[in-house]
Amino acid sequence: MTNNISKDILLKMYETMLLIRRFEERVGDLVLKGEIKTPCHLCIGEEAIATGACLALEKEDYIFGNHRSHGHYIAKGGDIKKLMAEIFCKETGCSRGKGGSMHLIAPEIGLLGTPPIVGASIPIAVGSALSSTIKGSNQVSVSFFGDGATSEGVFYESLNFASLKKLPVVFICENNFYSTHMPVFKILADTNIAKKAEGFNMPGVQINGNNVIEVFQTVQKAVERAREGNGPTLIECLTYRWRGHVGPDDNIQGTHTDIRPKEELDSWKEKCSIKRLEKYLLEQGALSETVKGQIIEKIEKETQEAVEFAQKSPYPKEEELFEDVFKT
Amino acid sequence: MRKITYAQAINEATKQLMERDHQVFIIGQGCTSPWYVGNTTNGLFEKFGEKRVIDTPISENGMSGVALGAALTGLKPILIFPRMDFMYLAFDQIINQAANWRYMFGGKVNAPLVIRGIINRGGEQAAQHSQALHSMFAHVPGLKVVMPATPYDAKGLLISAVEDGNPVVYIDDNWLYKEEAEVPEEIYRVPIGKGAIKKKGKDVTIVAISYMVKQAAEAAEDLEKEGISAEVIDLRSIKPLDEEIILESVKKTKRLVIADVGWQTGGIASEIANKVYSKLYKELKSEIEIVALPDVPAPASQVLEEKFYPNKNNIIEAVKKNN
Ligand SMILES: Cc1ncc(C[n+]2csc(CCOP(=O)(O)OP(=O)(O)O)c2C)c(N)n1
Ligand SMILES: [Mg+2]
């Protein structure tokens, strides 16, 4: 390959992005059918960031997400049956039906939680990075957050402390140009998020978040730097969500509040990260139509199994309401 | 009289306050979006413009300080949180600063700030998007806390809160937004610190808060059919607390059930129970019952939500337990 990335990884990228896309399309349909009630923030259109970043990590590395984290969970290698079951708020879900779509966890693959309070997981990832340095482990931590989270004070506090202590953390900002109904220029005095790293004496880079290869390579470099004890990196990934802030619609929520110009959405659909990689793989001969068909079929089957698993799973039992508050 | 909804009543009060007094403005996340705060701020941006309807970055603590600063210099901000849960991020500015400012600086300046927080729960949103924090705020000296349960009070209390001249936490509940009732078109006030008797009765007193007032009223109707006459008090303000209305009622009924939208432990319901018990312990004919949320975070799953959120049946049970 022209980019020194193995064919296996490239195919894994392709498969992961497609899985996230298909999984979320199914979620969207099930919301419309009324089978899913928990608020779902879909990341369709943004798959390349979670995918590229998580493939640059080891299983032992930690990640933290936010309200829009189905993709992070899937990309890190979480069990999609437990994810779908959680979205159905069933007992078999990854959070036992206590969390729903916005509260995902899979400690077995390093996902320690996805709190939907904006900005909340940024310092927490710094804390897990601090833990690596105290324990002398080699683990790197990643926090995924949106452009909106950079207006919380805690973002700046976290960058400062992480850089000050040279902690092994990578800050990945998924800049989709909107936070709920607010375009980024209406809430940030300087919309260049990567640049904010400068003030904290750490590298900040702005990249194309719809180019999974660029994401992968950038995160790889940041992870290496972190593992070597050289401190954090802020990576701003430019992307766009194709659906509403919450729910399956292609606007913020319901046609009456659509605030995003259709041309803008359409232009981003043309920059589809999956199409982009697919084209590249076909050109490079790394993917054939046959293999593509097999991958799609496999994903179709996996997502169908996840949906059926979730549908068949029981709801939590009433007494479970009182469980899990404290370790016993 | 014409009828409007609870959400419209908030909207109308805000609009009339802003029309009447140029010092009033609103600031908070989502106050330009029909989606974010129900329709409680619809049309205000169009009418008053971006100087007085300020939709903000996601910076809760910072924005609360900004509102406080504006209040200290004579403006009358209404600071809006589309959900109460996000107020945790602003506890320093609301509690350390706004609540204390006047006192700790010897009463030299006032902080005429209304802090509007919305209870927005249910719908499998889980722990961080479901909370009712009124009891935490009531714990703090220097804050008044009001919780309207009807369209009439939603309007009247917002007007009183803005006119009060002190930090007032005004808490409305999304579950009440579609409630409709007669609301006067003009500006009027509902006094802060005064409860209201929602229904007269003689066998038991039910003191209810916010959404639980509706549940209590329904419970009382059902109880009536079974020959139990319940008096329902809508507390309306939880700080200052209208002790008098509660004590008067319990003196008559000798029994008390308190229905709250918050958690059991350390909540306003315990405070009321304590006040009643310490003043009327000789007259009480039974234990005081509290209907509140169990001491667990809000769960996602609808089946757990159903068990988590008390309703009229829990109130009926509590009444019958000691009857
Ligand atoms: C502290 C806090 N304030 C407000 C919210 C409500 N809220 C949920 S998501 C969101 C927008 C987040 O935007 P961004 O960080 O850009 O992420 P995106 O949704 O675009 O992925 C807001 C304001 C919240 N969850 N937490
Ligand atoms: Mg965003």
Side-chain angles (χ1 to χ4, degrees):
Chain A
M1 294 293 129
T2 49
N3 48 45
N4 297 323
I5 303 175
S6 73
K7 186 178 151 186
D8 280 357
I9 290 191
L10 289 167
L11 285 177
K12 183 81 187 151
M13 285 173 178
Y14 181 64
E15 192 180 323
T16 305
M17 289 199 293
L18 268 178
L19 178 60
I20 298 172
R21 171 77 50 96
R22 191 64 197 126
F23 182 94
E24 289 217 309
E25 283 172 351
R26 294 297 305 267
V27 170
D29 292 345
L30 290 159
V31 170
L32 289 174
K33 277 194 187 154
E35 279 192 63
I36 291 172
K37 288 174 237 54
T38 190
C40 291
H41 302 76
L42 304 179
C43 72
I44 292 175
E46 307 181 358
E47 299 90 344
I49 304 168
T51 302
C54 289
L55 281 172
L57 297 171
E58 299 297 328
K59 190 173 168 201
E60 295 69 34
D61 291 330
Y62 292 120
I63 67 166
F64 294 85
N66 61 1
H67 55 288
R68 196 180 303 286
S69 274
H70 299 166
H72 306 136
Y73 178 105
I74 294 173
K76 193 75 181 20
D79 179 341
I80 66 163
K81 285 188 177 151
K82 290 184 189 165
L83 174 59
M84 192 60 93
E86 189 56 40
I87 297 170
F88 273 73
C89 294
K90 296 291 182 81
E91 193 185 31
T92 52
C94 62
S95 304
R96 303 183 67 209
K98 299 261 175 69
S101 160
M102 293 195 286
H103 309 82
L104 309 174
I105 190 156
E108 64 283 3
I109 47 105
L111 172 62
L112 284 190
T114 64
I117 291 294
V118 169
S121 84
I122 305 174
I124 301 174
V126 173
S128 80
L130 176 69
S131 172
S132 297
T133 64
I134 293 174
K135 291 190 298 199
S137 88
N138 212 11
Q139 291 152 292
V140 167
S141 297
V142 170
S143 171
F144 291 98
F145 52 90
D147 45 288
T150 68
S151 35
E152 290 287 7
V154 77
F155 167 68
Y156 300 91
E157 298 172 27
S158 302
L159 257 56
N160 179 53
F161 186 73
S163 182
L164 179 72
K165 301 288 181 190
K166 295 221 176 317
L167 299 177
V169 55
V170 183
F171 300 103
I172 300 184
C173 178
E174 301 174 305
N175 182 357
N176 57 15
F177 299 95
Y178 288 86
S179 53
T180 57
H181 60 299
M182 296 289 265
V184 71
F185 64 85
K186 279 197 183 171
I187 58 169
L188 290 179
D190 182 349
T191 55
N192 186 325
I193 292 170
K195 211 171 90 187
K196 299 178 197 301
E198 261 174 46
F200 299 98
N201 200 17
M202 62 187 268
V205 279
Q206 188 183 66
I207 62 171
N208 178 357
N210 279 21
N211 180 349
V212 66
I213 293 174
E214 192 177 341
V215 175
F216 175 75
Q217 290 177 327
T218 311
V219 175
Q220 228 179 9
K221 217 171 120 195
V223 166
E224 229 166 81
R225 183 184 144 84
R227 271 202 232 286
E228 283 164 7
N230 295 322
T233 304
L234 170 63
I235 302 172
E236 177 190 5
C237 307
L238 302 181
T239 188
Y240 201 81
R241 61 171 157 75
W242 289 11
R243 302 296 181 102
H245 168 68
V246 57
D249 303 337
D250 62 1
N251 50 59
I252 174 159
Q253 193 177 60
T255 40
H256 59 295
T257 52
D258 195 353
I259 41 118
R260 301 188 308 166
K262 188 173 177 307
E263 311 78 65
E264 189 179 280
L265 176 60
D266 289 345
S267 78
W268 277 94
K269 283 190 173 168
E270 275 163 32
K271 295 183 227 166
C272 172
S273 57
I274 300 178
K275 281 266 142 50
R276 182 192 176 109
L277 181 67
E278 186 179 291
K279 186 162 167 274
Y280 175 75
L281 292 178
L282 289 168
E283 276 167 12
Q284 297 280 315
L287 182 70
S288 63
E289 287 298 335
T290 329
V291 175
K292 183 182 152 188
Q294 288 163 350
I295 293 175
I296 291 174
E297 204 176 307
K298 179 171 166 241
I299 286 170
E300 212 51 52
K301 185 164 164 283
E302 275 174 27
T303 45
Q304 180 56 24
E305 281 168 7
V307 171
E308 283 170 18
F309 174 78
Q311 285 168 331
K312 284 186 193 136
S313 290
Y315 283 104
K317 289 178 272 307
E318 274 197 359
E319 59 269 25
E320 288 177 43
L321 176 63
F322 306 98
E323 294 170 7
D324 300 325
V325 179
F326 293 111
K327 167 178 183 290
T328 46
Chain B
M1 203 187 299
R2 55 84 200 245
K3 285 186 174 177
I4 59 173
T5 65
Y6 183 97
Q8 284 167 335
I10 295 172
N11 188 304
E12 183 171 282
T14 313
K15 188 176 100 204
Q16 290 176 343
L17 285 160
M18 290 176 75
E19 269 168 355
R20 190 189 60 172
D21 183 350
H22 284 265
Q23 292 171 322
V24 179
F25 71 99
I26 63 175
I27 177 166
Q29 252 171 70
C31 64
T32 61
S33 154
W35 163 71
Y36 224 138
V37 290
N39 51 16
T40 62
T41 59
N42 270 8
L44 299 181
F45 180 77
E46 291 73 12
K47 189 166 170 57
F48 300 106
E50 61 183 0
K51 267 208 165 136
R52 295 177 68 204
V53 178
I54 307 173
D55 205 332
T56 73
I58 317 171
S59 313
E60 288 80 2
N61 201 33
M63 292 307 112
S64 303
V66 167
L68 173 59
L72 294 176
T73 47
L75 297 189
K76 295 170 191 161
I78 303 176
L79 170 66
I80 300 176
F81 290 87
R83 301 174 173 276
M84 289 206 86
D85 311 68
F86 309 152
M87 294 172 86
Y88 284 126
L89 281 80
F91 265 28
D92 179 58
Q93 290 297 334
I94 297 172
I95 297 177
N96 259 333
Q97 312 309 333
N100 288 333
W101 204 273
R102 185 183 155 84
Y103 186 87
M104 70 189 177
F105 297 119
K108 291 279 163 63
V109 286
N110 299 324
L113 173 63
V114 173
I115 307 157
R116 195 185 137 210
I118 305 176
I119 301 174
N120 191 344
R121 56 208 166 128
E124 300 194 326
Q125 300 180 89
Q128 301 181 333
H129 287 70
S130 305
Q131 299 166 89
L133 310 180
H134 51 293
S135 292
M136 294 194 191
F137 291 116
H139 185 62
V140 178
L143 291 179
K144 298 185 180 182
V145 184
V146 301
M147 299 179 82
T150 63
Y152 182 89
D153 290 342
K155 180 170 175 182
L157 277 171
L158 187 55
I159 291 162
S160 295
V162 168
E163 290 178 351
D164 191 78
N166 290 293
V168 179
V169 180
Y170 174 102
I171 300 169
D172 47 294
D173 187 329
N174 195 282
W175 278 354
L176 293 167
Y177 277 14
K178 295 204 171 82
E179 293 294 307
E180 228 181 28
E182 290 186 346
V183 173
E185 283 177 42
E186 66 279 6
I187 287 189
Y188 62 90
R189 290 142 198 97
V190 167
I192 295 177
K194 288 272 174 260
I197 299 197
K198 179 103 183 158
K199 176 190 164 296
K200 285 214 166 295
K202 55 180 179 34
D203 299 328
V204 58
T205 299
I206 306 173
V207 172
I209 293 160
S210 184
Y211 180 73
M212 292 312 279
V213 173
K214 184 170 141 70
Q215 301 296 311
E218 287 173 18
E221 241 175 68
D222 290 5
L223 287 164
E224 202 73 41
K225 288 177 203 146
E226 300 184 41
I228 300 171
S229 156
E231 179 144 301
V232 178
I233 295 176
D234 174 355
L235 207 49
R236 304 199 292 191
S237 290
I238 69 162
K239 187 165 190 181
L241 193 62
D242 189 351
E243 279 179 48
E244 203 183 309
I245 198 170
I246 300 170
L247 294 173
E248 281 311 307
S249 176
V250 179
K251 267 185 209 158
K252 181 174 72 181
T253 63
K254 323 273 189 220
R255 288 185 172 87
L256 175 62
V257 170
I258 307 156
D260 188 11
V261 291
W263 286 296
Q264 282 276 349
T265 298
I268 192 69
S270 308
E271 177 67 21
I272 295 166
N274 170 56
K275 291 235 149 84
V276 170
Y277 184 74
S278 58
K279 301 228 162 92
L280 300 177
Y281 69 99
K282 282 187 185 146
E283 295 177 48
L284 283 170
K285 281 212 180 124
S286 67
E287 285 171 35
I288 297 170
E289 291 295 325
I290 291 178
V291 176
L293 302 179
D295 284 332
V296 302
S301 189
Q302 202 181 340
V303 293
L304 299 182
E305 281 185 333
E306 273 159 26
K307 184 157 176 69
F308 180 67
Y309 293 113
N311 56 33
K312 70 165 183 180
N313 295 327
N314 302 94
I315 298 175
I316 292 172
E317 258 169 53
V319 166
K320 287 187 176 169
K321 200 168 157 194
N322 294 315
N323 211 53

